[in-house]
Amino acid sequence: MTEIAPSGAHRRVPLALGACLVSFAVFWAAQRAAHVSMVDLMVYRAEGAVVRAGGDLYALRATAARLPTTYPPFAALLFTPLSLPDTALLRTLATAGNLALLVVFVRLSLQLVGHARAEAVWWIAGAAVWCEPVWTTLRYGQINLLLAVLVLWDLTRRPPGGHDRWSGVGLGLAAAVKLTPALFPVFLLATGLVVRLRGGRGGPWLPHARGAAVTFAGATLLAAAVLPYDSWRFWTHMVFRASRVGAAGDTANQALRGVLARLLHTADPAAAWTAGAAVLTVLGLAAAVRAEVRGLRAWAVCACAVTALLVSPVSWTHHWVWCVPLVLLLWTRGHRAAALATVLVFWSYLPWWVPHGAGRPELHLGSAELLLSAGYGVAGVLFLALTGTSSPRSGAGEVRVKP
């Protein structure tokens, strides 16, 4: 009997999978060699322990760095199981889980831009683990990949124009854990209202936004029922204290507030940031809505993500895992130079090239150092500008939603 040779696709997938696993193994070894503390994971673990013990969640100061609780109470409920395993096992599970989430995130990102080939997922995941936001997410044991997966799952799971009872669940849960993703339901609401003002029915955007709002409200009310005191403190006081998250001028803060703090050499650029964030929110949402109503879902989603990162009081470098779909979008739409420049920014660990640390030397940087320290923010603003000039032709192959 004549043997049938395996197709090229069947040969490429195992090769890509093997390369990804080798990359992950080298990454894991490098993390262990660096003796990473996974400090944020330890904070989550401490929050879970406080919930189990019935303590004061927002009086917590965890780890040697005495880090506070900064997320809404619903997040602490989800962190409760993290207090059960010992720290060594927890670090192992968190690293493995984040690597698995990275693969899912890449798969959803490729689906968003319309190029979800199996071998591409493994090649890109193997490379993406080395970009600074992903590396730092795993180093700290952060939840950025989980939140990004929830958002992309929600925004790519239905066929064009479709929605069901699960629409908005991912967005609502992500926003209940951390407030930054809440801009996505606002984007859906704004898109639906714009379509309705133009004579359309506003669907599926308005039902999708409503589903996200209901899910967010349900998760928040659940947390209030279990943790009434902590919920009251967070929503009436802690939510307004951006300084609890960290120093605005820290080089790791790549939000507009951090860029302005370093540019103006001040620890708190309050007025400048408030005005700038308001303008940037309007312009960013306008770019996202414009892209969405023109059928450019990938541009719209990435623009909304970038806007949320820029206008948040603090967006640490590890929050910028959205650089992965940004690069894929730029590359697949023919913006090769922009894609390569974005890779250079996010894979070069740019913010850490400038003086930083104790004493806040970031507030005394020269011109060249200021530019380096603002690399992620500048890349985000340039992407929003490009989104504003994108055309329907440049959206070929991506997830489309029609009025």
Side-chain angles (χ1 to χ4, degrees):
M1 178 180 283
T2 304
E3 274 191 31
I4 299 176
S7 68
H10 288 166
R11 290 194 300 267
R12 290 195 298 268
V13 171
L15 177 62
L17 173 59
C20 180
L21 292 178
V22 169
S23 178
F24 282 4
V26 174
F27 170 86
W28 199 315
Q31 290 270 44
R32 289 180 65 87
H35 301 291
V36 295
S37 64
M38 303 186 78
V39 62
D40 288 340
L41 179 64
M42 295 301 103
V43 175
Y44 303 156
R45 185 176 190 270
E47 290 181 29
V50 169
V51 171
R52 291 179 62 200
D56 187 340
L57 187 60
Y58 294 99
L60 173 68
R61 292 295 183 274
T63 76
R66 296 187 56 77
L67 297 176
T69 302
T70 58
Y71 296 169
F74 180 70
L77 288 182
L78 299 184
F79 296 153
T80 303
L82 301 183
S83 62
L84 300 177
D86 61 50
T87 55
L89 177 59
L90 182 60
R91 289 188 177 109
T92 299
L93 293 174
T95 301
N98 262 328
L99 289 173
L101 284 169
L102 175 60
V103 174
V104 176
F105 182 48
V106 170
R107 174 67 178 82
L108 291 171
S109 298
L110 285 167
Q111 182 177 333
L112 179 72
V113 303
H115 289 266
R117 292 189 302 177
E119 67 270 20
V121 174
W122 299 111
W123 285 117
I124 294 167
V129 74
W130 297 99
C131 76
E132 193 274 343
V134 175
W135 167 279
T136 314
T137 288
L138 273 83
R139 174 188 174 187
Y140 294 147
Q142 262 281 344
I143 58 171
N144 307 302
L145 289 169
L146 173 61
L147 299 180
V149 163
L150 284 171
V151 169
L152 280 187
W153 170 81
D154 203 334
L155 292 170
T156 61
R157 58 179 295 272
R158 296 296 298 165
H163 66 274
D164 60 16
R165 63 179 180 175
W166 296 103
S167 293
V169 170
L171 296 178
L173 289 175
V177 171
K178 189 173 182 179
L179 294 180
T180 307
L183 193 65
F184 285 96
V186 175
F187 148 70
L188 292 172
L189 175 63
T191 302
L193 292 177
V194 167
V195 170
R196 179 168 287 184
L197 288 172
R198 293 181 177 182
R201 300 181 61 184
W205 298 281
L206 294 181
H208 201 160
R210 182 169 60 246
V214 169
T215 302
F216 173 82
T220 301
L221 289 174
L222 173 63
V226 179
L227 303 169
Y229 174 72
D230 294 318
S231 294
W232 175 260
R233 285 195 68 198
F234 179 82
W235 293 108
T236 61
H237 183 58
M238 299 300 175
V239 70
F240 304 109
R241 295 182 57 189
S243 60
R244 282 176 53 85
V245 182
D250 193 315
T251 190
N253 184 12
Q254 292 294 303
L256 175 66
R257 182 166 171 256
V259 173
L260 289 175
R262 295 186 290 272
L263 179 64
L264 301 176
H265 309 294
T266 177
D268 185 15
W273 171 66
T274 301
V279 171
L280 197 53
T281 299
V282 172
L283 294 178
L285 278 177
V289 170
R290 178 179 179 272
E292 180 75 359
V293 297
R294 289 163 65 87
L296 307 180
R297 166 57 65 91
W299 288 98
V301 171
C302 289
C304 187
V306 168
T307 302
L309 290 168
L310 287 172
V311 302
S312 174
V314 173
S315 289
W316 303 126
T317 59
H318 53 78
H319 295 164
W320 287 79
V321 294
W322 285 92
C323 67
V324 174
L326 256 65
V327 169
L328 295 177
L329 176 61
L330 293 171
W331 184 265
T332 57
R333 299 303 180 266
H335 300 284
R336 301 296 171 85
L340 292 174
T342 306
V343 167
L344 181 63
V345 169
F346 288 98
W347 269 256
S348 65
Y349 294 65
L350 203 62
W352 306 109
W353 292 12
V354 305
H356 59 276
R360 295 272 77 83
E362 299 98 321
L363 300 181
H364 308 284
L365 301 177
S367 299
E369 292 174 331
L370 280 171
L371 183 60
L372 291 176
S373 75
Y376 294 8
V378 170
V381 170
L382 292 177
F383 176 81
L384 291 180
L386 185 59
T387 300
T389 63
S390 59
S391 65
R393 177 179 298 179
S394 52
E398 73 181 49
V399 175
R400 288 179 173 269
V401 181
K402 297 180 181 179

